[in-house]
Amino acid sequence: MAPTVFEKSSNIIFLLTTLLILPVFCISSKQSPFQFLENLQGYQKGDKVAGLHELKQYLNNFGYLNYNQENLESNSDQKDDHFDDILESAIKTYQLNYHLKPTGVLDSKTVSTMMLPRCGVSDIMINGATRMRAGQKKMHHHQKFMHAVSHYQFFTGSPKWPLDKTNLTYIFNTNRTSTNTTRAISRAFDKWAASTHFTFTQIQENSWISSNITADIRIGFYSRDHGDGYPFDGPYGVLAHASAPTSGSFHLDSDEAWSIGPVPDHIDLETVALHEIGHLLGLQHSSVIDAIMYPSVSDGMAKELHGDDVQGIKDLYNKV
Ligand code: ZN
Ligand code: ZN
């Protein structure tokens, strides 16, 4: 069982690098970009506490608040460290989605749930167009766009692959991806194929460079800002993200300590791949904790497809 996913030929470089950065790495290895949440535990509406704006950004990133450039002016109060009504309402929605008591208070269970490593795809898709067209400015209207997730769900507008397109091709966008890595991700595709009407075919890496073949799904490992507006954040925090049909982009955070199979302090690659393929096929997040489409995953843990995931695909593609 390989503890990390690295190419053989770079093993020596990796070893040297590891020795050089080991002291730093040991101190920071359990640090998460979501660590700031620890300092916010116990706060509630009416409080003012340094770092609360980071929570607002977090909730915005995952769909529980809705800032954007257009209404930045009217939202400037949300960029500060005041625990206001809107923040309380966003936390309640989060708590409902994650089976927590919807108190709107940053209790310890809420904080520890929020700190888990997770998928970068937003939990709630807010129909931006409708909001814009309706000219919603009053923030008390915000709440009606929120809904708790009961089980599997689809992206807004239920985008999906054409019904006659049952074979999807995928390609790794770098020839430096190790065999262990590609095999783990291929196993995830195989598991989806075994439970749905889809089949998946890998296109070899050299055709990425040598031809203009475009695979349906393009997979790559990236660090930090990688040009799509959704930068990764180093170890832990956001692990990966993928697009709704039929865009087919599937990105993994190269700064994670990925493992093949469950290994303590590592993130199981196959589990995350299973989750992201669910997005690629049209599933959004599920609030069923055992479903692969549940947004977060603990380190050292492996998950499989769940009935909720399979039922979601059958429902989306009318294969019930
Ligand atoms: Zn996700
Ligand atoms: Zn990306």
Side-chain angles (χ1 to χ4, degrees):
M1 212 177 273
T4 48
V5 181
F6 278 98
E7 194 197 6
K8 273 179 193 168
S9 61
S10 64
N11 273 356
I12 292 165
I13 296 164
F14 169 63
L15 200 64
L16 289 170
T17 316
T18 307
L19 289 171
L20 286 169
I21 65 165
L22 204 56
V24 180
F25 185 72
C26 284
I27 295 159
S28 63
S29 65
K30 290 299 274 186
Q31 285 288 316
S32 155
F34 300 158
Q35 207 73 30
F36 71 89
L37 287 157
E38 252 177 10
N39 302 323
L40 302 178
Q41 193 172 310
Y43 287 99
Q44 57 186 302
K45 190 167 80 178
D47 290 335
K48 189 181 179 183
V49 50
L52 213 54
H53 67 280
E54 286 186 85
L55 172 64
K56 292 179 179 183
Q57 191 59 55
Y58 176 103
L59 289 166
N60 186 59
N61 289 348
F62 300 122
Y64 294 89
L65 289 170
N66 186 28
Y67 314 145
N68 54 44
Q69 293 309 310
E70 286 84 351
N71 58 9
L72 195 63
E73 199 89 336
S74 61
N75 279 337
S76 59
D77 60 327
Q78 295 195 13
K79 299 281 187 183
D80 64 26
D81 290 329
H82 280 108
F83 203 129
D84 52 22
D85 289 341
I86 296 151
L87 179 59
E88 184 188 54
S89 158
I91 291 168
K92 281 182 182 171
T93 308
Y94 180 92
Q95 288 168 328
L96 285 170
N97 273 351
Y98 287 81
H99 308 283
L100 301 161
K101 214 173 162 192
T103 57
V105 178
L106 282 171
D107 51 59
S108 63
K109 276 189 177 171
T110 303
V111 166
S112 59
T113 304
M114 283 182 171
M115 285 179 69
L116 287 174
R118 58 162 292 155
C119 171
V121 173
S122 182
D123 292 346
I124 297 171
M125 297 283 127
I126 293 164
N127 189 332
T130 305
R131 279 181 63 83
M132 284 298 128
R133 211 176 324 128
Q136 296 287 350
K137 293 266 168 153
K138 291 173 187 163
M139 294 316 292
H140 62 264
H141 285 175
H142 195 64
Q143 244 180 316
K144 75 179 180 188
F145 294 95
M146 303 295 186
H147 58 280
V149 182
S150 55
H151 52 96
Y152 64 81
Q153 58 165 5
F154 312 134
F155 290 96
T156 305
S158 303
K160 58 185 171 186
W161 297 92
L163 291 177
D164 59 352
K165 187 168 177 64
T166 59
N167 181 255
L168 302 177
T169 54
Y170 63 94
I171 194 166
F172 292 92
N173 72 355
T174 166
N175 55 13
R176 289 177 300 146
T177 313
S178 79
T179 311
N180 281 345
T181 304
T182 56
R183 278 188 192 150
I185 294 172
S186 294
R187 280 196 299 274
F189 278 111
D190 291 344
K191 284 178 180 175
W192 275 108
S195 298
T196 65
H197 65 288
F198 285 104
T199 52
F200 303 95
T201 309
Q202 186 184 347
I203 294 180
Q204 287 310 309
E205 290 151 24
N206 51 9
S207 46
W208 173 271
I209 302 153
S210 64
S211 78
N212 53 9
I213 288 172
T214 48
D216 298 311
I217 295 164
R218 295 159 310 280
I219 307 160
F221 287 80
Y222 301 96
S223 175
R224 305 286 174 177
D225 187 1
H226 52 285
D228 61 6
Y230 298 95
F232 286 133
D233 52 8
Y236 297 106
V238 169
L239 306 172
H241 53 226
S243 58
T246 52
S247 309
S249 54
F250 174 4
H251 298 164
L252 298 115
D253 188 344
S254 57
D255 292 330
E256 302 303 337
W258 295 106
S259 64
I260 308 298
V263 175
D265 299 328
H266 287 65
I267 307 291
D268 180 43
L269 179 62
E270 195 175 318
T271 297
V272 172
L274 277 172
H275 176 98
E276 300 304 329
I277 295 166
H279 285 314
L280 294 163
L281 298 181
L283 290 180
Q284 239 294 15
H285 289 153
S286 171
S287 73
V288 174
I289 292 170
D290 291 333
I292 202 69
M293 295 317 292
Y294 187 74
S296 51
V297 61
S298 303
D299 53 355
M301 178 182 141
K303 284 175 82 175
E304 298 294 342
L305 288 186
H306 182 275
D308 182 64
D309 307 306
V310 175
Q311 198 55 45
I313 290 297
K314 286 186 173 165
D315 186 5
L316 180 59
Y317 292 90
N318 300 311
K319 302 279 178 185
V320 182

